[in-house]
């Protein structure tokens, strides 16, 4: 584990493989409550997040697939 922009991240071969809720919040420019509702699958059950103890994570690959599908379905302008 290392730190990226002050955030603890899981890395493999110097490539980020998981996003934290804070990183997703910043990428999507959404509120903290919206972010945690997304991670808790209250907004979209296709958002493939998981918990490690009390911490949420989503694999970067799963996030990118989810975001691409969202854009393709015209739910995002």
């Amino acid at each position: 584990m290392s730190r990226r922009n002050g955030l603890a991240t899981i890395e493999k071969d110097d490539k980020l493989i998981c996003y934290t809720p804070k990183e997703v919040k910043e990428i999507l420019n959404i509120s903290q409550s919206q972010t945690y509702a997304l991670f808790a699958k209250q907004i979209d059950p296709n958002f493939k997040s998981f918990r490690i103890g009390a911490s949420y994570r989503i694999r970067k690959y799963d996030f990118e697939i989810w975001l691409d599908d969202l854009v393709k379905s015209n739910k995002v302008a």
Side-chain angles (χ1 to χ4, degrees), residues 19-21 24 35-41 47 49 56-58:
Y19 286 132
T20 65
V24 169
T35 303
Y36 280 95
L38 185 60
F39 272 85
K41 300 179 182 166
F47 192 77
S49 63
Y56 282 109
R57 296 288 185 270
I58 186 167

Side-chain angles (χ1 to χ4, degrees), residues 2 8 17 19 21-22 35-38 40 48 56 60-61 72:
S2 67
I17 61 169
Y19 286 132
K22 185 173 183 179
T35 303
Y36 280 95
L38 185 60
K48 296 182 178 180
Y56 282 109
K60 182 179 178 186
Y61 173 80
K72 287 176 187 173

Side-chain angles (χ1 to χ4, degrees), residues 3-14:
R3 295 231 172 244
R4 178 174 162 255
N5 298 330
L7 303 171
T9 59
I10 301 169
E11 295 185 10
K12 181 178 180 181
D13 300 327
D14 295 325

Side-chain angles (χ1 to χ4, degrees), residues 10-74:
I10 301 169
E11 295 185 10
K12 181 178 180 181
D13 300 327
D14 295 325
K15 293 183 181 179
L16 179 69
I17 61 169
C18 286
Y19 286 132
T20 65
K22 185 173 183 179
E23 291 168 319
V24 169
K25 176 185 177 297
E26 292 171 359
I27 291 167
L28 298 177
N29 194 28
I30 59 176
S31 72
Q32 183 172 337
S33 62
Q34 289 174 314
T35 303
Y36 280 95
L38 185 60
F39 272 85
K41 300 179 182 166
Q42 295 170 345
I43 294 176
D44 187 345
N46 296 318
F47 192 77
K48 296 182 178 180
S49 63
F50 58 94
R51 289 181 77 148
I52 300 175
S55 300
Y56 282 109
R57 296 288 185 270
I58 186 167
R59 292 186 323 153
K60 182 179 178 186
Y61 173 80
D62 290 333
F63 177 78
E64 290 171 353
I65 294 295
W66 173 82
L67 190 58
D68 285 344
D69 289 346
L70 193 66
V71 171
K72 287 176 187 173
S73 69
N74 294 318

